[in-house]
Amino acid sequence: MNVRTRSSAIIGSMCLVASLAFTTASADESGAPRQAAAEVALKQVATARNPSAGTAGPGGTVWIAERAGTVRVLDRHGLGKPVLDISEETTTDGERGLLGIAFDKKFAHLYISFTDLEGTSTVDEFTVRNGKIRPETRRTVLTQTQPYANHNGGDIKFGPDGYLYIAFGDGGAGGDPHGYGQNLDTLLGKLLRIDPRGGKPYAVPRDNPFVGDPKARDEIWAYGLRNPWRFSFDAGTGDLLIGDVGQSSWEEIDWAPADSDGGENYGWSRMEGSHPFRGGTEPADHVPPVHEYDRSGLGCSVTGGYVYRGRAIPQLRGQYVFSDYCDGTLRALRMKNGKVTGVADLGVNGGQVVSFVEGGRGELYVLDIGGSVARLDPA
């Protein structure tokens, strides 16, 4: 999703056309050397209506969320009819809609993240039996009022620890006018960690970093985020990677090791990437990005992806694949011990890349908000 106010009207339109032309890469400011790129291709496997997110489902399926409020299942026969429809309960104004979808590890519960008709971020749960949603079991797990129609975040993932992680942006507008990014008394501008089955409506893990701090929300796992539109866990190591969209100058990718105790401060809004924002002072506990790029090229809104752990493209294994909504070029980072050791342009363009999906066997799918669902294949 394009997460800049100046482009909200473009995203809001339901007749977006993907740009498939190859584009010039934005400047890489990580200092890492360029590396030889794995030879890959994009194979379109389905067309959806403004696909916004997806997740691996039971039986080798991939479940695709469509922004207007429907969920469809992709299997070997193609993309089926909607298995869930909340289109009368959500809105696509601004950067809103059905923004995230996730299964727990046993595929026993499906979670959706969406903005309701008032713009409130909402995470709901459904019981799943034999691969089918039980609508009567629906319950609301968590809500968060959003002051503006942009920077809603909305991504959800289950971590290797079995807990549900939820990403919220800083509330919107521009420049974090309310200072939510550094304010630990709000869920905005944060990555949360909860146990959705441990209480009513949820429980907070006892080892969350701010549990017991009267000045902080217990649900917070990390903070200082502007709009963590897409994040993921490395299926091989458990490391966390976050694509956090910048204000106007820098796009960043943040990293935390699997053994992190949480509490990372990624700097917003005192920092934009590794750079002071509007005269801000770098926090003493600032965790700088592992990779950032400026807007000297065509990129303007990072779309975080996944560390590739599939088998189809051996030369890509272990590399973090990501893109940019405005640029569309797929790129890969080679990393070691939390440091980027190489950057590659994969030579393919996914259009207006709004999200990546990791299938059950580690293969990656690329979602273009214009409709294309494509699989990353060997060239």
Side-chain angles (χ1 to χ4, degrees), residues 35-42 155 157 230-235 240-243 252-255 290-291 293 302-310 313-325 328-335 340 342-350 353-358 362-367 374-377:
Q35 66 185 37
E39 296 183 357
V40 304
L42 282 176
D155 201 8
K157 297 283 193 306
R230 290 292 175 246
F231 70 93
S232 65
F233 293 93
D234 182 343
L240 168 68
L241 291 121
I242 306 170
E252 71 180 89
I253 294 170
D254 300 309
W255 173 89
V290 293
H291 182 72
Y293 59 92
V302 65
T303 300
Y306 288 86
V307 175
Y308 178 76
R309 296 294 178 184
I313 315 171
Q315 62 270 43
L316 190 61
R317 282 182 61 86
Q319 297 181 45
Y320 178 71
V321 180
F322 69 102
S323 188
D324 187 290
Y325 179 88
T329 302
L330 268 60
R331 297 183 176 85
L333 302 181
R334 190 183 299 277
M335 297 180 61
V340 174
V343 184
D345 182 333
L346 294 180
V348 292
N349 191 289
V353 179
V354 69
S355 191
F356 290 82
V357 185
E358 183 179 48
E363 303 304 330
L364 297 185
Y365 297 79
V366 181
L367 304 185
R375 188 179 61 234
L376 194 61
D377 282 355

Side-chain angles (χ1 to χ4, degrees), residues 33-173:
R34 293 287 170 178
Q35 66 185 37
E39 296 183 357
V40 304
L42 282 176
K43 180 180 180 180
Q44 184 168 339
V45 295
T47 300
R49 185 182 178 212
N50 301 113
S52 55
T55 187
T61 59
V62 173
W63 291 44
I64 301 295
E66 296 173 313
R67 188 179 169 218
T70 47
V71 176
R72 301 166 69 185
V73 179
L74 177 66
D75 59 20
R76 59 189 179 87
H77 301 294
L79 196 61
K81 295 180 179 180
V83 295
L84 180 67
D85 187 348
I86 62 161
S87 56
E88 294 185 357
E89 303 174 45
T90 189
T91 173
T92 56
D93 292 344
E95 296 172 5
R96 296 167 171 168
L98 178 54
L99 306 178
I101 182 173
F103 279 101
D104 60 16
K105 289 187 176 182
K106 294 182 178 180
F107 302 109
H109 300 91
L110 173 71
Y111 296 83
I112 62 172
S113 173
F114 67 100
T115 47
D116 69 13
L117 296 176
E118 283 71 45
T120 297
S121 290
T122 305
V123 176
D124 280 2
E125 175 196 88
F126 296 84
T127 296
V128 178
R129 291 183 182 174
N130 300 319
K132 295 183 179 181
I133 296 172
R134 298 284 300 273
E136 72 277 8
T137 66
R138 181 178 182 179
R139 72 181 186 93
T140 295
V141 176
L142 182 146
T143 62
Q144 170 61 51
T145 301
Q146 293 284 353
Y148 304 103
N150 60 336
H151 304 184
N152 291 171
D155 201 8
I156 53 176
K157 297 283 193 306
F158 276 89
D161 53 16
Y163 293 128
L164 180 63
Y165 290 73
I166 303 167
F168 285 143
D170 66 3

Side-chain angles (χ1 to χ4, degrees), residues 1-12 26 94-95 149-152 172-175 226-227 229 244-252 268 272 277 293-295 298-303 324-326:
M1 173 171 289
N2 189 339
V3 287
R4 297 192 182 282
T5 303
R6 65 181 177 81
S7 302
S8 293
I10 298 176
I11 299 177
S26 297
E95 296 172 5
N150 60 336
H151 304 184
N152 291 171
R226 180 179 180 273
N227 194 13
W229 169 241
D244 192 20
V245 179
Q247 172 71 30
S248 57
S249 299
W250 297 95
E251 304 299 314
E252 71 180 89
W268 179 256
E272 185 181 7
F277 179 71
Y293 59 92
D294 65 24
R295 296 180 62 208
L298 298 181
C300 77
S301 180
V302 65
T303 300
D324 187 290
Y325 179 88
C326 302

